[in-house]
Amino acid sequence: MKDVVSRCPIEQVMRVLSGRWPTLLLYYLKDGTKRFSDLRRDNPTVSHRILSLELRKLEAAGIVQRTVHPGYPLRVDYDLTARGRRLVPLVDALGAWWERETASRCLDVPAARRRSAA
């Protein structure tokens, strides 16, 4: 990862939560503990490698807790930490904001393209 260039807390938050997967992982983990395979099923387009990297990044930030259960086959569970659970209302608020903003206008993309092409 790149070095932090400012002391702005937003930059530090965005280093952890930016990208396509971290907030989606928070969204799917907010309902409780999930196994790796459950998270893959919830996010079918994410590769095994990227999902592993993103979960490790969230774990290093103290947002996700990884629990390994001994035995065969090896079982690994992921859950939000207290810190991660405190993020959930912020992610929910972001989603609610987006729904409010987009509900006020019609997002018929093909029609918008037709109008701009005319």
Side-chain angles (χ1 to χ4, degrees):
M1 272 196 240
K2 295 180 182 178
D3 293 330
V4 176
V5 295
S6 71
R7 294 196 175 150
C8 175
I10 297 300
E11 180 185 6
Q12 294 171 12
V13 168
M14 292 308 297
R15 288 172 53 89
V16 175
L17 296 181
S18 67
R20 182 176 185 178
W21 304 112
T23 50
L24 285 175
L25 291 171
L26 285 171
Y27 177 81
Y28 288 115
L29 286 169
K30 75 179 184 176
D31 294 328
T33 303
K34 297 244 181 165
R35 295 177 73 177
F36 189 88
S37 60
D38 296 329
L39 293 169
R40 281 291 306 271
R41 206 173 3 265
D42 290 338
N43 302 286
T45 59
V46 67
S47 70
H48 186 281
R49 179 180 176 274
I50 295 299
L51 182 56
S52 294
L53 290 172
E54 294 296 338
L55 286 167
R56 282 188 209 140
K57 180 172 73 170
L58 292 172
E59 184 182 11
I63 295 169
V64 168
Q65 177 180 340
R66 179 179 188 262
T67 305
V68 179
H69 300 278
Y72 184 80
L74 186 66
R75 193 177 108 214
V76 180
D77 292 333
Y78 294 91
D79 200 2
L80 293 177
T81 61
R83 185 181 209 182
R85 285 190 296 277
R86 287 192 298 272
L87 266 174
V88 170
L90 300 173
V91 172
D92 287 343
L94 191 58
W97 170 81
W98 180 255
E99 287 178 349
R100 276 193 315 274
E101 292 299 313
T102 58
S104 64
R105 57 191 159 109
C106 178
L107 288 180
D108 183 9
V109 175
R113 285 185 187 142
R114 286 192 301 271
R115 282 193 300 271
S116 66

